[in-house]
Amino acid sequence: MATTSRLKGFGKIVLAATVSYGAYAIIKTNPTFSYNDTGSSFLESYRKKISDFNASVPSRQVQVSGLIGSSKTNPLDVLVIGGGATGSGVALDAVTRGLNVGLVEREDFSSGTSSRSTKLIHGGVRYLEKAVFNFDYGQLKLVFHALEERKQVIQNAPHLCHALPCMTPCFNWFDVVYYWMGLKMYDLVAGPRLLHLSRYYSAEESVELFPTLAKKGGDRSLKGTVVYYDGQMNDSRLNVGLACTAALAGASILNHAEVISFLKDDDSKRIVGARIRDNLSGKEFDAYAKVIVNAAGPFCDSVRKIADKDAAPMILPSSGVHIVLPDYYSPEGMGLIVPKTKDGRVVFMLPWLGRTVAGTTDSNTTITMLPEPHEDEIQFILDAISDYLNVKVRRTDVLSAWSGIRPLAMDPNAKNTESISRDHVLCEDYPGLITITGGKWTTYRSMAEDAVDLAVKSGKLSPTNGCVTPNLQIVGGDGWDPASFTVLAQQYVRMKKSYGGKVVPGAMDSTAAKHLAHAYGTLAERVASVAQNENLGKRLAHGYPYLEAEVAYCARNEYCESAVDFIARRSRLAFLDTDAAGRALPRIIEILAAEHKWDKSRQKQELMKGKEFLETFKSSKNAQFHDGKHTGS
């Protein structure tokens, strides 16, 4: 009976979904501002600025001057606190509306939750199931919204994002019918925003596509799989790209700079600026702004408490742990998603940058700058995926394991925790300070748009045009082509110093060329020329495509100010292979020292900080084994 009613539910909502989608599409095409029709000329001018091959981001000194140059009489329009996906998105949205924008980030762009994501750009398939069985139109709207934003993220950063097929194994015929119908309805709801059609594969076809998938497990046998498509990204490189795009468009952005207090107007009690400490120089300065946007992710509450020490908390932190395994666990172009494990959690295993990422957990946690995964969470993931694989799943195969804090948000004025939202929360609970939190990577752009809309209203700002970010490609994206790596492979060599100090040429092989083309987009040729002309063509770690040239390039063009900035966010070495990152550290520090003129004591400090950071990533070498069992290190 329950089965029949579940299937009937699909039919009932298909019509509602289709009609609602049409209505939603009409609503979304209406401009937010009456002058949006003039936006095309502004959009074109920003596109030219951002896609100029020879343009470089302003230096850190110029950015500091831009913030210090604000005053009571000549304030910034918007000052953003937090350089994650949302904060960088807010800065980009605001500056491309013609506003005067500053952004400060205590650590580095994407140093928090934004670099520790699942790497998926979700189209909201799970919301659809809730919408069907709860007849919940709110959940259905979340699906439409996620689908729309997913498509835009992939279009705006084509070098960093792509469609990924995800396989759901079915061990009984009901599951085959259930998931096939559900995903066909998802295709229908997606409409023009569909990446590719979902489809069913027999057990034999499935194992051909995913050789490590188990055909039998216990008393069950595989009946087939249903494959649908979601988006995948290189999260921190996308985040750094957003920050650099905002800088090219004219925003004063500064990483390693912390807000230590707010400046308030004595008469109106409104917040009118912030006291900022540059954590690299130790110097403090004031920056004035008509509106401040708090986009500090899990740290939103600590920023709100600077304004009002009695502020009611908004964040309920949740820990999401992921592990990285060798490439042979999953084929290159296919992910595996199990919607419900034995204990009801979702588990996935996805190919990512030549390795396999698996996860995830969802458990209460405390907010900390460097969250660490617990050994039992790592083991939960290993146990969950081993139920679906024919390969022996070993703790010794874990190349890296990390934890990220999801900032689940609730209304600070709510009476109970049922108001916890998977959607974003936007409020101005102190005059002049707008907080945006919650939400997810997929919807960062629309979250930023909502925050800037409120900032315009709150600060009585005068933008020159409406929001243009739906159609604005980030730096490296405009004109990028999937075949562009061939130009690098054919036209550049990697000059490298041998151990004897002799300079020898090396081929710009396909692996290195593809990596550069995807990581830097149309600017990859600039990195390749550094590798060729400055003898920085050597690989930083055996078995990984990262080149020495990237360290120098990122120091000059991407505000890479520390060794951790490079191993974690500019490259993904710490996330892919913690031990390889540790071995690469000394050479990375050597190159950064030459770029930033570091003395010996700063280099020593960088090595220590790099090692401390990597200790929070639990590779198999960071676990302690006793009698074949493991315990937390």
Side-chain angles (χ1 to χ4, degrees), residues 42 46 50 91-99 249 464-466 468-469 472:
F42 290 103
Y46 284 115
I50 292 158
L92 180 58
D93 187 307
V95 75
T96 52
R97 294 196 203 192
L99 298 171
T464 56
N465 55 280
V468 297
T469 55
L472 187 71

Side-chain angles (χ1 to χ4, degrees), residues 57-96:
V57 294
S59 70
R60 184 179 173 83
Q61 289 69 31
V62 168
Q63 300 293 46
V64 171
S65 303
L67 293 167
I68 292 175
S70 63
S71 64
K72 266 185 185 175
T73 52
N74 186 27
L76 296 164
D77 288 314
V78 180
L79 175 66
V80 184
I81 302 171
T86 308
S88 300
V90 170
L92 180 58
D93 187 307
V95 75
T96 52

Side-chain angles (χ1 to χ4, degrees), residues 319-632:
S319 160
V321 171
H322 299 80
I323 63 174
V324 170
L325 297 160
D327 57 351
Y328 58 75
Y329 272 81
S330 65
E332 197 180 330
M334 181 69 75
L336 183 77
I337 291 189
V338 181
K340 281 193 180 72
T341 55
K342 288 170 193 162
D343 68 352
R345 293 197 239 190
V346 177
V347 163
F348 59 82
M349 205 173 75
L350 312 165
W352 184 64
L353 301 181
R355 295 292 176 264
T356 300
V357 62
T360 178
T361 62
D362 193 354
S363 47
N364 292 340
T365 188
T366 51
I367 296 174
T368 167
M369 285 304 297
L370 287 176
E372 296 186 31
H374 295 298
E375 203 63 42
D376 58 346
E377 293 176 304
I378 294 170
Q379 195 56 41
F380 161 76
I381 297 168
L382 292 170
D383 290 344
I385 62 171
S386 70
D387 289 344
Y388 298 89
L389 300 179
N390 59 23
V391 63
K392 192 175 178 187
V393 178
R394 308 176 301 181
R395 176 63 175 91
T396 47
D397 287 337
V398 176
L399 300 168
S400 181
W402 75 87
S403 173
I405 301 172
R406 295 186 189 94
L408 300 181
M410 55 186 176
D411 182 343
N413 307 310
K415 299 284 180 283
N416 58 42
T417 56
E418 281 170 29
S419 59
I420 293 164
S421 173
R422 287 277 172 178
D423 203 359
H424 61 275
V425 172
L426 188 61
C427 67
E428 185 176 9
D429 52 357
Y430 201 99
L433 179 67
I434 289 169
T435 296
I436 174 105
T437 191
K440 54 185 183 169
W441 238 117
T442 309
T443 57
Y444 85 86
R445 193 213 59 80
S446 67
M447 288 169 68
E449 185 179 346
D450 290 351
V452 177
D453 285 351
L454 183 56
V456 167
K457 198 172 156 190
S458 168
K460 299 181 176 63
L461 308 179
S462 305
T464 56
N465 55 280
C467 175
V468 297
T469 55
N471 303 305
L472 187 71
Q473 290 188 302
I474 73 160
V475 63
D478 198 2
W480 181 81
D481 183 88
S484 61
F485 75 93
T486 56
V487 175
L488 302 177
Q490 289 181 339
Q491 295 184 10
Y492 292 88
V493 293
R494 298 186 293 116
M495 300 301 289
K496 47 193 186 177
K497 279 185 184 161
S498 67
Y499 287 113
K502 196 176 157 197
V503 176
V504 290
M508 182 66 76
D509 54 282
S510 295
T511 308
K514 277 181 185 170
H515 155 65
L516 293 179
H518 281 284
Y520 302 92
T522 54
L523 301 182
E525 286 190 54
R526 285 171 62 170
V527 188
S529 63
V530 173
Q532 180 172 280
N533 302 333
E534 300 182 36
N535 305 332
L536 291 171
K538 204 170 188 176
R539 280 186 160 86
L540 288 164
H542 179 69
Y544 292 89
Y546 301 109
L547 306 182
E548 292 176 337
E550 295 178 65
V551 186
Y553 177 84
C554 293
R556 296 169 201 172
N557 299 284
E558 292 187 356
Y559 302 112
C560 178
E561 305 293 340
S562 76
V564 172
D565 288 357
F566 186 82
I567 58 171
R569 271 92 53 181
R570 304 309 181 282
S571 79
R572 309 315 309 274
L573 204 45
F575 285 81
L576 290 168
D577 190 329
T578 306
D579 304 321
R583 290 192 294 275
L585 261 180
R587 181 61 181 139
I588 290 165
I589 290 165
E590 204 180 325
I591 299 166
L592 285 173
E595 294 296 323
H596 291 314
K597 317 262 184 301
W598 289 344
D599 59 18
K600 284 276 182 278
S601 95
R602 173 69 192 268
Q603 290 176 54
K604 227 181 201 169
Q605 189 189 3
E606 285 291 322
L607 189 61
M608 191 181 72
K609 279 186 177 170
K611 284 178 175 170
E612 276 173 16
F613 176 80
L614 289 172
E615 272 166 25
T616 67
F617 283 61
K618 303 298 181 189
S619 71
S620 58
K621 290 191 182 156
N622 265 5
Q624 294 169 2
F625 293 84
H626 300 286
D627 303 320
K629 302 269 183 184
H630 56 269
T631 60

